[in-house]
């Protein structure tokens, strides 16, 4: 049984997992706090994590205790009203140490150390990116979905902070073969959304508007860095070209064409992702695919990814539940389970620190 915590960005999250099963999961999103600033503000994130982390962990443990003692009469009420957190069934504590916002990561790490000391538990340090990679492996408390996994996988991680292509050879064995040299895919969508006056986060609203015009391409914005066999991504040039394109339009025109603009921008980002993934399939010979991270919530991107998988007759994985696309602690707990199996615990807790630019 692992209590896992993630405070890497703008979600305060905790979960209890047993193997790949999630027994309890709580996510307190800060998105409303950051919305008016058009993006995540580190100092606001830090304070919000500090204010909420105790409540999030208490709720997670209480939910877990209730599930654990379902058979006992009146136990639900007793646990709900109890101020005493019972850690006796928790074996380890898992914590995200990077990559992410330093002030945000610090809050979770401090709390993990505090709990580990108080309850005498070992800590498992997890890379946030390996958490995302494990999101298709997460099961609900009943052990669903049941999937046969066939390593190796080619994993495309697309979130607000990261875009990379990774060979997932086997458990805990990753090789990064491509990454963004500037903006992440989600960040590009967020910036386009801001330029269109659609607010933060941009991904979901752009998805909705694009769908209304059948995800068609009207303006053919550039697909960056698709020539050659380079597997790195770059989205800042696309953003600049979009910016100058919008500059030539007046406000009325922009609003009239908002769906066409959203759809064309989204298409440029997604086609680039698909072209690069196909290049990676050809280069590595790996046909089994996984799409993870916040942008993997997008149904149109999933459709394109599924088509790619079908073309090469490979297995295609997505995060097993919607809440696993964005940031959460369940995926961190499942990654930690595989580390615990190999005794990969933190040996010196005093030295445990955040690594904001942590690599895989
Ligand atoms: O994984 P995540 O919650 O946080 C990071 O670790 O960065 O990803 C957030 C990103 C944001 O850029 C957001 O716009 C994008 O995921 N996103 C989407 C959708 N839902 C969230 N992008 C496209 N379509 C969506 N439905
Ligand atoms: Zn993330």
């Amino acid at each position: 049984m692992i209590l896992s915590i993630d405070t890497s960005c703008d979600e305060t999250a905790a979960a209890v997992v047993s193997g790949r099963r999630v027994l309890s999961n709580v996510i307190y999103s800060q998105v409303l706090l950051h919305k008016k600033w058009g993006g995540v503000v580190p100092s606001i994130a830090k304070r919000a994590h500090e204010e909420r982390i105790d409540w999030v962990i208490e709720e997670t443990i209480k939910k877990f205790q209730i599930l654990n003692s379902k058979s006992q009469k009146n136990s639900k009420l007793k646990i709900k009203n109890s101020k005493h957190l019972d850690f006796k069934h928790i074996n380890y504590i898992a914590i995200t140490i990077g990559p992410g916002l330093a002030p945000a990561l610090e809050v979770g790490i401090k709390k993990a150390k505090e709990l580990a000391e108080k309850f005498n538990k070992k800590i498992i340090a997890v890379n946030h990116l390996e958490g995302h990679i494990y999101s298709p492996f997460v099961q609900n408390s009943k052990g669903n979905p049941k999937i046969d996994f066939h390593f190796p996988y080619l994993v495309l991680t697309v979130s607000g902070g990261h875009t990379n292509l990774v060979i997932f050879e086997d458990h805990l064995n990753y090789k990064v073969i491509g990454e963004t040299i500037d903006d992440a895919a989600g960040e590009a969508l967020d910036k386009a959304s801001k330029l269109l006056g659609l607010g933060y986060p941009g991904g979901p609203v752009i998805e909705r508007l694009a769908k209304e015009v059948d995800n068609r391409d009207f303006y053919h914005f550039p697909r960056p860095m698709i020539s050659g066999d380079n597997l790195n991504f770059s989205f800042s040039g696309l953003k600049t070209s979009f910016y100058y394109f919008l500059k030539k339009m007046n406000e009325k025109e922009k609003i009239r064409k908002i769906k066409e603009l959203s759809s064309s921008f989204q298409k440029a980002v997604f086609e680039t992702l698909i072209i690069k993934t196909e290049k990676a399939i050809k280069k590595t010979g790996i046909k089994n695919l996984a799409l993870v991270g916040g942008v993997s919530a997008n149904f149109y991107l999933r459709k394109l990814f599924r088509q790619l998988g079908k073309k090469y007759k490979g297995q295609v994985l997505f995060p097993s539940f919607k809440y696993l696309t964005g940031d959460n602690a369940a995926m961190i707990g499942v990654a930690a389970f595989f580390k615990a199996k190999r005794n990969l615990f933190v040996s010196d807790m005093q030295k445990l620190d955040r690594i904001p630019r942590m690599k895989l």
Side-chain angles (χ1 to χ4, degrees), residues 136-152:
F137 289 72
V138 179
Q139 294 177 317
N140 64 14
S141 63
K142 297 187 169 66
N144 291 315
K146 292 178 177 65
I147 296 171
D148 286 326
F149 295 101
H150 305 283
F151 285 101

Side-chain angles (χ1 to χ4, degrees), residues 11 128 132 159-161 186-187 189-190 201-204 207 293-295 297-298 325-327:
E11 262 90 32
H128 183 76
H132 277 298
S159 73
E187 190 179 3
L189 293 169
D190 292 338
E207 171 172 27
V295 185
N298 190 294
T325 58
D327 288 345

Side-chain angles (χ1 to χ4, degrees), residues 36 57 68 75 131 157 165 190 199 249 289 301 334 337:
K36 67 175 173 194
I57 292 173
N68 236 5
S75 63
T157 305
L165 266 169
D190 292 338
M249 291 175 116
L289 309 176
L301 180 59
V334 171
F337 159 68

Side-chain angles (χ1 to χ4, degrees), residues 184-194 202-203 206 265-266 269-270 295:
E187 190 179 3
L189 293 169
D190 292 338
K191 284 179 176 171
S193 168
K194 204 170 172 180
I206 287 183
F265 187 87
Q266 181 181 265
V269 173
F270 290 178
V295 185

Side-chain angles (χ1 to χ4, degrees), residues 159-199:
S159 73
H162 314 279
T163 299
N164 60 33
L165 266 169
V166 172
I167 298 176
F168 190 15
E169 280 295 347
D170 204 342
H171 288 299
L172 306 180
N173 186 351
Y174 325 97
K175 186 174 167 212
V176 180
I177 54 169
E179 56 194 335
T180 180
I181 56 169
D182 40 56
D183 293 351
E187 190 179 3
L189 293 169
D190 292 338
K191 284 179 176 171
S193 168
K194 204 170 172 180
L195 291 173
L196 291 170
L198 296 170

Side-chain angles (χ1 to χ4, degrees), residues 98-114:
L101 298 172
L105 289 163
E106 270 165 22
V107 179
I109 294 173
K110 191 171 158 219
K111 185 55 66 182
K113 283 183 182 176
E114 204 180 292

